[in-house]
Amino acid sequence: QVQLVESGGGSVQAGGSLRLSCAASGDRSGTNYLGWFRQAPGKEREGVAAINMGGGSTYYADSVKGRFTISQDNAKNTVYLQMNSLKPEDTAMYYCAAALIPVDTLPMMVAGLFGYWGQGTQVTVSS
């Protein structure tokens, strides 16, 4: 079992920045990807960014490329999502998730492939 705990959400004005953290604990031997999804009210869950914890490859949704950066601190078993130039459309509940996916680089993020989820942290961006 893998436990994921998110932190770092909050409210910010458009153009501002936030950094989300996801602390992983438990038996992670069966996972190799950690990622972030988000879900706004009335919308489907969207994959935002993911990182291969072994090889370091990353995936970003087109909507966040150039603004968000995912990184890892293996010593702390923590993954971060640095979010810059935030827009009102980034407002959502952000979830950390873990998966075992047998590819070196993700071509896309599919929520159904991620078997472990955190409780989520709210990000609100005002205009």
Side-chain angles (χ1 to χ4, degrees):
Q1 289 289 336
V2 178
Q3 292 79 44
L4 303 171
V5 179
E6 306 98 332
S7 61
S11 297
V12 65
Q13 289 191 327
S17 298
L18 284 172
R19 189 178 79 157
L20 306 183
S21 300
C22 173
S25 61
D27 183 4
R28 291 177 48 208
S29 62
T31 62
N32 63 336
Y33 276 96
L34 280 175
W36 290 93
F37 288 80
R38 67 185 180 185
Q39 189 166 20
K43 295 189 176 181
E44 292 187 356
R45 191 164 293 193
E46 173 191 20
V48 175
I51 188 165
N52 183 316
M53 301 296 286
S57 66
T58 56
Y59 164 90
Y60 294 97
D62 287 343
S63 57
V64 306
K65 281 181 182 177
R67 300 189 298 122
F68 290 11
T69 302
I70 190 169
S71 62
Q72 59 179 319
D73 184 335
N74 286 335
K76 296 182 179 180
N77 293 322
T78 300
V79 169
Y80 303 98
L81 186 67
Q82 179 66 43
M83 306 186 295
N84 298 328
S85 302
L86 283 162
K87 305 175 181 180
E89 50 264 43
D90 294 318
T91 295
M93 184 72 78
Y94 283 71
Y95 298 92
C96 181
L100 176 63
I101 304 174
V103 297
D104 291 333
T105 304
L106 279 181
M108 64 180 67
M109 289 180 70
V110 179
L113 295 179
F114 287 75
Y116 301 97
W117 293 83
Q119 294 299 307
T121 185
Q122 178 67 37
V123 172
T124 302
V125 185
S126 58
S127 57

